[in-house]
Each structure stands twice: as structure tokens, then as C-alpha cells.
Amino acid sequence: MNNKKFPTTLAILLFSGSLLIVSAVIQNTTHLALTSTKTPGVKLEAPTPVSTVNDDLQPQMSPKEIQPINNFIDMAGHETSESKRTTVTPPAARNLSQIDAVILAATSVRKLFDVDIAKLQMRVILSDTRTSLPWTWAVHFSPYNAKTLEGQGKEFWEYDVLIDPINGMVVNTTAINIALKRTPISASAASTIYKDARWINAAITILTDKQKENRKIATATLINTDNNDKRGMVAVQMMLEDGSSYTAEMRYPDQSLRCLTYETAQVVK
């Protein structure tokens, strides 16, 4: 078999309840260095050791929400002589540890969607997204009984967070509910939306009140309208003065947030 056809390496960390499974899946001929999960991560504002939740985040999170993250950190940092956990870490991803990624992702979900993460299980994947980011931390939150709920046809929410491992920026946070019915936007409704400032105001409120972004917004405009009308979504792109931008995608007609995407300013060389 030609090894060149194999997909890129993934380092997968599964966290469910009290069980942490770390597996390194190597599916090509590229040799990457194995590193211990004790590899220190980037300090997040306050000089906090990786064995505890960042002090700046604690006032924003309840003790119930902090505990599963502390459990995750304790388990990831604990090694015995009989069994050592290792993970394949691409060189570009060493700036941000999986623990830092979990904390950032949990905080983003909590503040954007007012979710109690203590009731959710986490799955963390370091993957090659084949986009502008060569490697990305992807953190998925779902109910512990998601499979059962799905089998029973019951509604539940899941959350995906993508994080740039180089600069530690959360680039996308998405809320998923496969049971929701999308309402395509008709031509007449679209015409009304284009003239209705409430959609742009709703996006700005999400950015300032929930995301807590304090940089000045230079412009806010509807984008990808033709495609989004078919999907039943309204997307508002908010350009900041420094050239970076956020895009808030909201569901029609209730204006609930589906996802918030962040793009850093393009550096002109």
C-alpha cells in the first residue's frame, strides 16, 4: 500500500467523565517527536501553573464549571512509572498546550452561550485543518448521554471551538443542534433584513456584551447574503480598527447566535 495516501497525523485526547484516554495515531511516514503531556503551555495573562485554572478565568466560572477542568489538568499531568501518556505534537503546535486549549474553549462556550460546562464532556483534537491554520486545537463539548438522546430523537446542544495554537486565539465557536429546523429566508424577508438595523445591532451586542470585545468597531455589514438566505442564516462581519474582524452568524428569525468567527489582521509584508 502506498503510504503517501494516508491522512495526516492526529493527536487525540479524549476526556469523558473520570476517564482520560490519550492516543497518538500516526498514519503517514512523517516522523514527529513524542512529547510528554507535562510539556508546559503558554501562560494566560497571569503567571499561573498549568496544574490550576487561570486566576483570571475563575471569577467568570462557577466552582462546578472549574472542577472538571481541574480534573482534566490533574489527570493529564499525573504520570506513573507503569504507564506514561504521550502525544504526537507537531512543532508548530507547541506554543499552546491542550490544557490551555481546554480552558480557552470552555470559557468561550460559557460566555457566548451561557452554558454550564460541568454538565458536558470534552473531546480535544489537534488536527491538520488544511486551511490557513496548519494545525488547530479543536475542542468539542457534548452531553454525556448524547448518543442516547440522539437515539431517542431528543433535542440537545453541542459546541465546537477552534483555537490557533500559535497565538492562542479562539478563531471559531459554534453551537450545534441537529434537531433544529432551518427556515430559508425568502426574497421579501431578505429585503426587509437588509434594511433592518436590528440584525447588525444584535451582532454588535454579541461582540461587546458576550465576547467582551473592547476594541472599536469600524464597520458592520451583512455578508454572504445569497448563500445564507438559503441556509436560514444572517451573517454580520464586524471590522475592527486594527484590521482584525469578527463574523457573527445568527439564525433566522430568532437572531440566536450559531457561531462567532475571528480573523486576525493581515500583516502586509
Side-chain angles (χ1 to χ4, degrees):
M1 181 178 293
N2 187 349
N3 287 333
K4 292 183 180 179
K5 294 182 179 180
F6 277 36
T8 308
T9 301
L10 296 180
I12 302 175
L13 305 176
L14 299 178
F15 173 65
S16 177
S18 61
L19 177 63
L20 176 67
I21 305 173
V22 180
S23 61
V25 181
I26 302 178
Q27 295 181 325
N28 61 11
T29 56
T30 302
H31 296 287
L32 298 175
L34 289 176
T35 61
S36 166
T37 54
K38 283 188 175 180
T39 301
V42 174
K43 293 178 181 179
L44 303 178
E45 297 184 8
T48 310
V50 296
S51 60
T52 59
V53 175
N54 185 288
D55 290 340
D56 290 343
L57 299 181
Q58 289 187 8
Q60 306 173 26
M61 304 173 70
S62 69
K64 283 181 62 180
E65 291 175 320
I66 292 172
Q67 190 56 52
I69 297 177
N70 276 332
N71 291 344
F72 179 92
I73 293 171
D74 291 341
M75 295 176 70
H78 177 70
E79 293 184 353
T80 65
S81 58
E82 293 84 6
S83 175
K84 290 192 175 183
R85 301 182 180 92
T86 57
T87 180
V88 175
T89 305
R94 289 179 181 161
N95 290 14
L96 188 73
S97 73
Q98 69 267 28
I99 301 304
D100 293 329
V102 167
I103 293 173
L104 288 170
T107 302
S108 184
V109 169
R110 183 205 59 77
K111 68 183 180 181
L112 287 178
F113 299 105
D114 300 319
V115 173
D116 182 0
I117 64 165
K119 298 178 180 179
L120 303 175
Q121 63 180 341
M122 290 175 276
R123 184 172 77 243
V124 185
I125 304 174
L126 180 61
S127 66
D128 181 356
T129 59
R130 302 186 184 280
T131 63
S132 57
L133 298 176
W135 290 89
T136 302
W137 281 117
V139 185
H140 180 77
F141 297 89
S142 62
Y144 287 93
N145 59 340
K147 292 296 183 182
T148 300
L149 293 173
E150 184 177 359
Q152 295 174 344
K154 294 183 178 179
E155 182 177 319
F156 62 92
W157 288 90
E158 300 175 273
Y159 305 89
D160 283 334
V161 184
L162 300 180
I163 303 171
D164 184 334
I166 306 302
N167 59 25
M169 295 299 299
V170 176
V171 298
N172 182 277
T173 304
T174 300
I176 304 163
N177 185 332
I178 59 176
L180 286 183
K181 302 295 184 182
R182 294 188 181 184
T183 305
I185 302 172
S186 66
S188 59
S191 178
T192 300
I193 289 172
Y194 303 156
K195 302 173 185 177
D196 189 351
R198 288 181 300 174
W199 287 91
I200 288 178
N201 290 338
I204 292 174
T205 298
I206 289 169
L207 188 60
T208 57
D209 293 3
K210 290 185 173 292
Q211 179 65 16
K212 305 298 183 183
E213 178 58 65
N214 54 23
R215 286 174 289 178
K216 186 175 180 179
I217 300 172
T219 62
T221 56
L222 299 178
I223 62 170
N224 301 328
T225 52
D226 289 343
N227 183 54
N228 286 331
D229 287 351
K230 299 173 185 177
R231 299 172 56 238
M233 300 291 170
V234 177
V236 178
Q237 183 181 63
M238 293 160 284
M239 298 294 300
L240 307 183
E241 281 195 325
D242 65 0
S244 57
S245 69
Y246 286 91
T247 298
E249 186 176 285
M250 297 168 285
R251 295 180 176 85
Y252 175 81
D254 65 0
Q255 295 187 331
S256 61
L257 179 65
R258 177 184 175 270
C259 69
L260 184 67
T261 303
Y262 177 76
E263 292 186 14
T264 56
Q266 298 297 317
V267 178
V268 178
K269 296 182 180 180

